Amino acid sequence: MSALEIVGQVLVVLGALVFVTAALGVVRFPDAYTRISAVGTAGGAGIVLVVVGALLLQPGVSAAVKVALIVALQLATSSVGTMAVARSAYLAGTPLRRKHYDDLDTEGAPR
Amino acid sequence: MSTLTWPLRLAWFAAWYLKEIVVSNVTVLRDNLTPGQAGTPGIALFPTRCRTDTELTLLAALITLTPGTLTLGTAPHGAPEDPRVLYVHGIYHPDADALRADLAVMESRMLHALRREGVAR
Amino acid sequence: MLLLCLAAACAAALLAPALGRRLGRAAGWPIAALLVAVGVLVVQTSQPDAVTAAVPWMPTLGVELAVRLDGLSLLFSLLVLGIGALVMAYSARYLPTGRHGGFYGLMTLFAAAMLALVLADDVVLLFVAWEATTLCSFFLISRSGAGAREPAVRTLLVTAAGGLALLSAVVVMVAQVGSTRLSVILADPVWGENSGFTTAVAVLVAVAAFTKSAQLPFQAWLPDSMVAITPVSAYLHAAAMVKAGIYLLLRFSPVMSDVPVWRVLLISCGLATALIGAVAAMRRYDLKELLAYSTMSQLGLLVATIGVGTPAALTAAVVHTAAHALFKSALFMLVGVVDHQAGTRDMRRLSGLRRTMPVTLVAMTVAAASMAGVPPLLGFVSKESMLDAFWEVPGAGPALAVAVALVAVLTFAYSARLVIGAFGDRTSDVDTQDAGPAGSAGATTVSTTEPDIVTDVPEARPAFWLPAVVPAAAGVVLGLAPWLLDRFVGDAGSAATGDHTDVHLTLWHGVTPALVLSVCVIALGTAAVLARTRVEPVALRLRSPVSGLAVVDALRARTISLGQRVGHLTSTSAPRRHLMVPVVCLVGIAGVATASVHGLPDVVGDRDVPLDWGLLALVAVGTLAAVMARSRVAAIVVLGVVGFTMTVWFYSLGAADVALTQLLVEVLTVVVMMLLLRRLPRTFRADQKRSAVLPAVVALGAGLATTLGVLALTGRREMSPVGEYYAREGEAVTGGANVVNTILVDFRAFDTLGELTVLGVAGLTIVVLLRSRRLLPIKPLDTSRAATSPLADAQANTVFTRVLTRLVGPLTVLVSVLLFFRGHQEPGGGFIAALVGGAGFALVYLSAPSDAAAKVRWPYLTLIGLGVATGTVTGFLGYVDGSFLTPLHADLLGVHLTTALLFDVGVYLAVVGVVLTALNLLGRPRPSAQSPATHRAPPDQPDPPADEHAPTIDHARTEEVEHA
Amino acid sequence: MTGIDVALALLVVACLASTYRMIAGPAEADRVVAADLLLFGMVGIIALVGVRTASAATFDIVLVASMIAFLGALSLARTLTRGNR
Amino acid sequence: MTGSALPLFVAVPLLTAAALVLLRGRPRLDGVVLGAVLLASTAGGVLLVLGARDGDVLAHGVGLWPVGVAIPFAADMLTALMLTVTGLLSATCAAFAVASGHARAPFFAPLVLVLTAGVNGALLTADLFNLFVFIEVMLLPSYALFVLAGPGRGRLRQVAGARLYVTVNLLTSTVFLAGVAFVYGVAGTVNLAELAGAARESDAVATAVAVCLFALGIKAAVVPVHGWLARAYPATSPAVTALFSGLHTKVAIYAIYRVYAVVFDGDERYLWVGVAVFSVTMVVGVLGAVGETTTRSILAFHMVSQIGYILLGVALFTLAGLTAGIFYLLHHMIVKASLFLSTGAVEERYGTGRLDRLGGLARREPWVAVAFFAAALSLAGLPPFSGFVAKLSLLVAAQDAGQVVAVVVMVLVSLVTLLSMLKIWSGVFWGSPTPPETDDPSLTQDGTGAGPSSTSSGTAAPAATATLAPAVDAPARRIGAALLAPSLVLAAITLGLGLGAELLLGLAETAAAGLLDPSAFVEAVTGS
Amino acid sequence: MTLALAAGILVAGAVYLFSRREMLRVILGFVLLGHAVNLVLMAAGGTSRRVEPIGADLDPAVVADPLPQAFVLTAIVIAFSITIVMLVLAVTGRGDDDTADVLDNDGTEPDLEPARTPTSTEASA
Ligand code: NA
Ligand code: NA
């Protein structure tokens, strides 16, 4: 097993752990927004780690180019997608649990 | 501060951001693995200094990618000189101002790295 | 020559409508002449031995247009044609003036059909003619006004049922003997050898004949059919319809006369019918109805006589057939004359006609006397012979003869009643008192509301009564000189008995038991007539407890209501029942297969890898979640679990192209669902426990069956030969390394052409559906946040997606193009590339600040059309190399090009076209469809109460509670 | 048991956890969030399966997946607002 | 004709369909092209019939790939006859649609052309998976045709019927595909010729193919999986019902004949199942028909019943039985279309097919009455129409094969058939429209009369709606020659096929011989 | 084994959904059924050979059978087409996607009556 492979194995496991963290968040966090927050992490860091790890396990020049593209793309799409979910959740009236502050509530929207 | 240092600034920002992510991840992980929730969630209005759609989008994305913070959206700005605002959901900040402060740091670093000429503070 | 006779009759039938239209009622005369001419032709053709002729009709079935003229056929032919001619001539005066194309056409066709029936030497032809008479009678009866329709239908149903019995007999005989030739069948030794067969045919033929000849228990239709006009009745009762049954019985007598069931059936049913008919005739006031029941009765006698089966009996039956034809046709026509002249045929209203209608009176008296069996008329001769024949029956002879004599007494009585009823004077009002109950039995009873007495009826013109007088007179002549019939009857009897029969008919037999009986009959009959005021009330009380009509109607109604129940079993347009039944059947098939399939080969290799178990867990959880989902969003979300798991699974099975396709389809499906979910309620109905148990059981059974099927039927062989060919040769013969893609665009491009057509037409279907039906209205989001929140502004908040689209959009195009061109070598190809392209359009749609601003307004229909056209045209190019869809190869500038790529262009266009269709039609506002111009705008429904609250957790719970 | 196997197992667990949230809700948004996580998890699994089976197209598929998976997220988000943008 | 021309039966309609989509919005062009292609397809079928008279089989591996790799197309007499009659029917129904104005709806012509392509492909292919694809090619345009209507004129019942139609057909084709998968799983091929006799030799193959046959059975509407057809078919327009009746179930029946003959090699172990099931089909179908109260629902249930007759031919699997079955199949396509078109003409002009709201048309529309009555008698198996020959030959074949129960069932069913035809006859062509009775219990139960009870008691709702709607008034215009001609032509054909039955009987026997001994078919496919 | 079980589970889910009255659930049932059949097709090719069939002169002992893959591809696309059609049918009905009877026994259509608010009593079969 080459060093590259070992690093790769470690990275994919780390990435998977990020996913598990996010999954834990999704299961345990109290409301939709905190859960979304957790997911956003997985979509960013988690995937990047896994994909880069995969690259190290299946190395190649064109693969590296693709992985760079994937990372950029994944960060962009996952964050935008997550934001869309968050906003829709808010507009759909999803409640905020145990909130300590809310600048959106100053317009007098009924609680 | 010039175009020459731009790639360097970008890389530095990336490194910093990576560190931020790791730290936040640990926070979230700790929160999740311990019984009960330690968070103090809330939504803060954050007036940005972004000038373009791209900057605003990037900032929003970075906020979202950071564990513990989440961009909910933006609002129309009445006049061109009005700041573009973001509504950000935070979990681990005691109040809106603390959240805004953290966001401001990230915004500054981002704009500094992003703008070819550096940021005009 | 013989076929010529038949052809001539058919020609007459074709000619008759034209004559009827051109000449009006007067067409009866030329048609009568035509029938006479055909009759002459038949006689000319006849020879001492049977004359046969045949032309092939359906050689595959061995069916021929075979005809055979023997004595029996000749006699019946002459009856059919002769009586037919008389009835036609009679109609020329009976009918009102005006066009009568239909009537004459049908009547002549009836005659032709009867002729074919009695001449047929092919059982199929016999059956065809039989059914033709059924149809003709249906039409002839139904033509007589609205009241005639129900009777016509009943007549048709009863006689068609008999036809089916005959058909069954035909089928049994043809299958047994292997020939459709009647003469061959009747000559076959099987009749004596196979008693089961013989018995079956005997019953079937008897039933067929009974329906046609109105024998118990199929007698109902005959009086019912009295609604038809008189010429029709005359023909039906005297020579045509009912005689077909008699002919059939006589025709089969040679092989049946020794069959016990035949004899028992014929004698018992015949005598019963004779009695019941005679009693019924005693009760009727309508002259025509009286005659109808008399027909029943007389035919009963005939049937019973045939049942006796001795040569003497059969000969007697033949004679009586002729006699009956003569007197019954005369009587019907004469009743018609009375009816025509008097305007009624209710004997309670006719008075004193004997003074004004002398010719009719004499003729009817003579004919009725023949019916009554009074010497020296032909009816006497035939009745004598029948009594003789019955007397001779071993064992039961005297008893049977006495029974027949009883019928004869009644016959005498009702014959007299007929004449007296028509021509006598009405002296008392006794007759009218009991009209009510008598009327209720039949649907056709004359109205009794206004019993005006009709008198001073003028005699008809000679041209009118002449056709009626002729058969009556013939009865006299033949009664006085019965030997005139010897040859005819002898030949007919020979045919009916199967042996040569010499017949010497005489008026005077000497003193025989029959003569004694005859004398008694006449004496008793006369007594009954004299005492008729006391006899008739008795007869009126003798009504049968069950009406035949009621039975037929009840059977019909029962059948219809049973049908309704059967229809109700499946009468729902909801898919569920129609989907569950096949599933249950499949489970059954699986069960049978499990029990019966043995000796399966061993499993080859290791079917699972560890990851498979994880994927299985995801599939299981996703499926369970999809089943349990309460809200629509939840359902499609958990369905995604399954869909994406499938993607991974395909990929793990070495199917990269499939995985890519599945992934793209999964996402695009979600996009389309998003476009539509907003028009549907948020939650499903709650599943009730009761309604969920059975489906769950079926579902588990189906799942088990599937699992067993896959375990048993897959994974137990090495790579298939064709798979091996693809693996080894695929790249070499197509130039494409991606074998799956080469299958899609080279080896099995025809499948793919079909597939892209399916896609394209799906697009057309959406277009068509949305042009003819409006979409449900969008159910608005019911929270104040959606309207007042700072986040609600779409223009501002789509900034993120718009920025992203600037990055991802071009990339999508690039990736799509790359995937397209490399598809032949690596995962990709037209479908996948196009799905990526479609996803790009979805991105454009989703990121736009408003539906209207989404730049997806491409000419999607043109894309679809071009796609299908490109695929097909590529196929045509293949003909250059010899076959449709053969790929052409060319090396251009070192680049290997194949028309498979062009084919993929077609695929690409069609797929993109469909995605664009969905986005445009489902996702964009369509002013034309939404405007009130389409006047049938359904009211925008008020939201269900559930939607009035914000969709909070609590709300979701309450909603479920409400539905539980 | 390589790292890939461990990672795959963890990712499957994460996906199962997200499925739990899809079923449990309670808000529609929760289900959509869980779907979002599932999408990402599947992208990860695809990458690892590609490596594991030595697929020639590992990163092509992941690229396409990361490019379009978020369309699913966008669409699901849109369903929350009944199509409102 | 050479084998390589066989794909043209698919390609030409497809290409013209695509062209018409591209040149959309020209009704006259649509009509002309549609008619021309359909007649050309019919003519092609006739050519194939002429070529197959001696039992020859034309086969072609599409794309000239090796045997077993290429998708094989093959045409024997049975295929040729089916191609001819389906082409003829499509042309007739299209003519009716043009006359009724239905063809003016968008994309009618291209959709019918794609349908034709699918039908032709399904008839010609000798590959099970390709058959699946062509069944789908048939189905998709059918879904569109089902809901085809003027702008905003689509009715709810069309949608409901389409839902039923689509879901059942999707289930059917999915089950069929599963069967194909199993076949490939056990046999390693989906090529019919390579599968020849396989089910006789292996129970596993038999099971796999049984799944395919069952799917085709759903499509053919065999009891107990028949209910969908009787419910869905009357929900679309008359022209489309007629078109479907002639094509969809018949292609399934054709496939059942072919697959059983080739793959099972006529295995007699399973024939009794067919005899039993198809006899029940006859009975249930006819009873359902006699209980219905609209023209098209009666006729739709009759299809079920008649399908039992047709399939009995294959369940007998003797030369006589197959001949009779094939003759019955072709006869029935014509007669059923004629009936749907004559009653459809009434429905188009008088706006309803309800027996209680029509009446007296025998006098008003004598030619429609003639067309209907001829076809109805043919359906009931009365001479001198083709239905008689069909029934007779089937009866003799069944009796020959010793299936006495089937004979009895056939005989009794034909009487009930006549009864139901008389029901239409007296409801539509006799009498006058009668006001429906109003004392319906469901009206008093809940105000609308169309409450939940309508699912359980199907008679409750119709009376309720009937009270709202007055009896139909006679329209100013009578049924024109154009609307009448299609049904009349088909009625004339059924008469012609009765009197001149030998023409078709001989051909059917050739086709049957090809099924009884499929070696010529197998050799042609494996030699192409 | 796993594919067989998965196919069985999918079929069971599909069949249960067929028994529901909302069109959307019936459609989802068909999506599940489609997955099941695709798994059966893949299984028919044999799941012990999983190497991607890409390249020249592949070894039939290890490479996955490409033909079922092509079949599945075709099946997926066809199913997608029909799913869209069914989805559109689901939103062109009366008030929602309820498939309860709208055809009366004699074919008349109570199309113009106002949509009824669904009640729980109607959910029973
Ligand atoms: Na975050
Ligand atoms: Na009526």
Side-chain angles (χ1 to χ4, degrees), chain E residues 242 295-296 299 302 332-345 371-380 421 424 487 490-491:
Chain E
T295 55
R296 272 197 286 157
L299 293 176
H302 263 299
H332 179 251
M333 290 165 75
I334 291 163
V335 165
K336 195 26 81 60
S338 176
L339 286 169
F340 273 125
L341 291 179
S342 55
T343 56
F372 172 82
F373 208 66
L377 294 181
S378 187
L379 191 80
M421 287 296 117
I424 298 184
S487 57
L490 293 177

Side-chain angles (χ1 to χ4, degrees), chain E residues 13-54:
Chain E
L14 265 194
L15 188 61
T16 41
L20 290 184
V21 170
L22 291 172
L23 303 167
R24 62 187 162 275
R26 301 177 200 183
R28 189 161 302 168
L29 177 75
D30 276 11
V32 170
V33 172
L34 180 61
V37 173
L38 292 177
L39 290 178
S41 180
T42 312
V46 172
L47 278 181
L48 287 177
V49 169
L50 294 177
R53 267 176 308 177
D54 300 327

Side-chain angles (χ1 to χ4, degrees), chain C residues 573-574 576 607-608 612 632 652 654 661 685 687 691-692 695 699 703 707 717 727-728 737 739-740 755 766 773 776, chain F residues 1-2 4 8 12 16 18-20 22 25 44 47 50 53 55 58 69 73 77 91-94 97-99 101 118:
Chain C
S573 60
R576 53 185 158 172
R607 292 204 275 204
D608 304 316
D612 290 349
R632 285 181 165 76
S652 135
T661 310
R685 289 177 170 76
D687 291 352
S691 74
T707 301
R717 57 166 177 77
R728 292 208 187 279
V739 179
V740 175
E755 180 191 353
I766 298 170
R773 270 305 275 190
L776 294 173
Chain F
M1 186 71 185
T2 45
Y16 184 83
F18 289 162
S19 73
R20 304 296 97 191
E22 292 89 355
R25 283 168 110 180
T47 53
R50 295 195 180 198
L58 302 162
Q69 297 190 12
L73 252 167
V77 176
V91 290
T92 45
R94 194 158 27 186
D97 62 342
D98 190 1
T99 60
D101 242 352

Side-chain angles (χ1 to χ4, degrees), chain A residues 5-102:
Chain A
E5 260 182 54
I6 292 168
V7 176
Q9 303 274 18
V10 170
L11 284 184
V12 296
V13 173
L14 274 179
L17 282 173
V18 172
F19 268 99
V20 171
T21 316
L24 218 53
V26 164
V27 171
R28 296 205 48 198
F29 278 151
D31 66 359
Y33 305 97
T34 46
R35 291 173 190 145
I36 294 170
S37 219
V39 170
T41 321
I47 295 236
V48 169
L49 287 170
V50 169
V51 172
V52 171
L55 173 67
L56 298 182
L57 292 169
Q58 203 179 21
V61 177
S62 76
V65 174
K66 285 173 195 163
V67 165
L69 206 54
I70 290 168
V71 168
L73 203 57
Q74 181 59 38
L75 292 176
T77 58
S78 71
S79 55
V80 171
T82 304
M83 288 190 283
V85 172
R87 170 171 171 262
S88 291
Y90 184 82
L91 291 181
T94 313
L96 214 69
R97 301 272 142 172
R98 302 193 293 118
K99 77 178 169 189
H100 288 64
Y101 49 93
D102 187 356

